[in-house]
Amino acid sequence: MSYGEHIGFDSFMAFLSVSLIVLAAVLFFLYKKRHVDQPEESTVDVAPITKLCACPYSLMDADAATDGFNQRRIIGKGRLGTVYAALLPSGELVAVKRIHPRLVLSNAGFGFSSTLKWLSLAHHPNLVSILGFSEAPGERIILMEFVGGTMSLDYFLNDQDSNKATLLDWGQRLKIVAGVARGVEYLHEVVAPPIVHGCIKPSNVLIDVKRCARVCDYGLSFLFPFDRRGLEGYVDDEYWVERRGASKECDVYGLGVILLELLSGKRNGDGNLLVSWALPLIREMKFCELLDSRLVTPSDVKPLVRLAKVASACVGNSRKNRPSIVEVAAILNNVEMGLSSSAT
């Protein structure tokens, strides 16, 4: 082989090597672009999960923010505790929930701080975010996002005066229950490990000034796992059987009860009185008797009939036969979009 032939061969090999490197770079770029551009299979409308956990606060911080837990700062009371409007040194307005002492004592050995850090990873437009916590002897405190100008769904369902502006129309009711479903779907299907709410009921659904649903108190059922007060009527029979407790399927049941309440305008009582009354009407297609008489029945009643059947599937089946929150949320979103498009 001559010198000239040797140079030509070397040049060819160098060209081949560069070509292979360029080809590999192009294939790698296309692979990364495909995975960046390719949408997730989940249909959940979510805000990205932040890696920032809830911040620990001292009891002195919580005390100062609430003016010594001043009664004039109380904005709500429930079976978990008392909620105060609080002002942090940064100027941020937050809601502070002071857990009842009896619940603190009964859960003294539970990992409160680690649980709150996990729950605080949930961020979604239909949830009330957890911002921080405080833990001291005899005290458990949760700092949450302050949702201004809100009332709970419980307030709207208790309002029986049809002349008041607070009476929710069909569109608002559908928007609320679809929002609750999206929030719960996020907890069940996006947060890892999944969060089970444990008590889906009207008092745990805040309605903001835009009539959007904001679910609160998710994942806190460990504080009162088998206390019937406030749970009866919104958890399924399996909850009490063999003390099986909260589950995803139980959350779907609670959502079904809320849907029945919004359709009928009636409150559920202890012992699932609303469920016992509504299921026979749905089975017998007596929707005129089921629907809230304070509102005008729309000319096209099919969307409301569909919602009634979804509610029936949520509360009328055992856990193993109950639809998942993904299925329920998909139907509610579909009905909501259909109602919005027909109104425009």
Side-chain angles (χ1 to χ4, degrees):
M1 180 181 293
S2 68
Y3 183 73
E5 290 173 334
H6 182 72
I7 293 296
F9 180 78
D10 287 348
S11 299
F12 173 76
M13 292 302 295
F15 173 78
L16 182 61
S17 299
V18 171
S19 299
L20 290 174
I21 292 172
V22 171
L23 179 62
V26 170
L27 290 175
F28 178 78
F29 173 79
L30 291 175
Y31 174 82
K32 293 294 289 182
K33 186 176 187 300
R34 174 180 177 271
H35 280 263
V36 170
D37 292 346
Q38 189 176 31
E40 295 290 334
E41 291 183 3
S42 173
T43 59
V44 188
D45 180 21
V46 302
I49 297 180
T50 177
K51 295 300 181 184
L52 296 176
C53 294
C55 299
Y57 289 83
S58 69
L59 183 59
M60 290 181 62
D61 292 334
D63 186 82
T66 58
D67 293 336
F69 299 103
N70 194 311
Q71 288 193 349
R72 286 177 294 181
R73 286 188 172 268
I74 294 176
I75 55 176
K77 291 183 178 182
R79 65 193 302 261
L80 266 180
T82 304
V83 183
Y84 301 81
L87 191 65
L88 298 179
S90 63
E92 182 181 6
L93 186 63
V94 299
V96 168
K97 184 184 289 286
R98 191 182 194 185
I99 305 300
H100 282 308
R102 64 180 179 83
L103 296 178
V104 174
L105 292 174
S106 61
N107 293 276
F110 197 87
F112 181 79
S113 60
S114 59
T115 299
L116 266 293
K117 288 179 181 179
W118 163 51
L119 296 177
S120 69
L121 295 176
H123 294 276
H124 187 276
N126 294 113
L127 298 177
V128 177
S129 297
I130 293 174
L131 307 176
F133 61 90
S134 179
E135 186 174 14
E139 290 282 3
R140 299 292 185 273
I141 292 168
I142 303 173
L143 283 76
M144 302 174 294
E145 173 188 6
F146 185 89
V147 184
T150 61
M151 299 297 292
S152 74
L153 180 57
D154 192 59
Y155 166 79
F156 291 96
L157 289 170
N158 274 327
D159 178 17
Q160 296 299 314
D161 187 349
S162 60
N163 294 320
K164 288 187 178 180
T166 53
L167 183 63
L168 300 169
D169 62 33
W170 290 122
Q172 291 170 332
R173 296 182 191 203
L174 177 53
K175 178 182 178 181
I176 287 169
V177 75
V180 174
R182 286 191 291 269
V184 177
E185 183 183 21
Y186 175 87
L187 294 174
H188 287 189
E189 304 300 327
V190 177
V191 183
I195 296 175
V196 171
H197 188 291
C199 188
I200 301 291
K201 61 178 184 176
S203 59
N204 285 335
V205 177
L206 302 183
I207 310 301
D208 65 20
V209 292
K210 295 182 179 180
R211 292 291 194 262
C212 290
R214 306 288 297 277
V215 180
C216 63
D217 287 359
Y218 44 88
L220 299 178
S221 59
F222 70 89
L223 291 169
F224 49 89
F226 296 103
D227 185 347
R228 288 183 177 267
R229 287 173 295 180
L231 277 179
E232 281 193 306
Y234 296 97
V235 297
D236 53 24
D237 291 338
E238 290 97 327
Y239 189 99
W240 312 110
V241 177
E242 298 178 3
R243 298 175 72 85
R244 291 176 62 184
S247 68
K248 289 183 178 181
E249 296 82 5
C250 187
D251 283 353
V252 171
Y253 182 93
L255 179 63
V257 175
I258 287 180
L259 185 49
L260 285 178
E261 290 179 312
L262 289 171
L263 286 170
S264 66
K266 302 180 184 296
R267 288 299 313 278
N268 193 29
D270 293 346
N272 293 324
L273 298 179
L274 176 62
V275 173
S276 301
W277 169 79
L279 285 181
L281 296 178
I282 297 172
R283 283 194 295 265
E284 297 167 16
M285 305 289 284
K286 296 181 179 179
F287 298 108
C288 290
E289 296 180 34
L290 173 72
L291 299 178
D292 192 343
S293 60
R294 295 172 297 168
L295 296 179
V296 176
T297 303
S299 56
D300 183 8
V301 77
K302 290 180 182 178
L304 298 183
V305 171
R306 192 177 184 191
L307 295 182
K309 291 182 177 180
V310 170
S312 176
C314 291
V315 302
N317 290 314
S318 63
R319 288 188 178 184
K320 65 178 182 179
N321 295 321
R322 198 167 294 154
S324 69
I325 190 61
V326 175
E327 295 170 309
V328 174
I331 295 173
L332 295 181
N333 289 336
N334 182 267
V335 175
E336 183 183 21
M337 287 189 294
L339 196 65
S340 299
S341 60
S342 64
T344 57

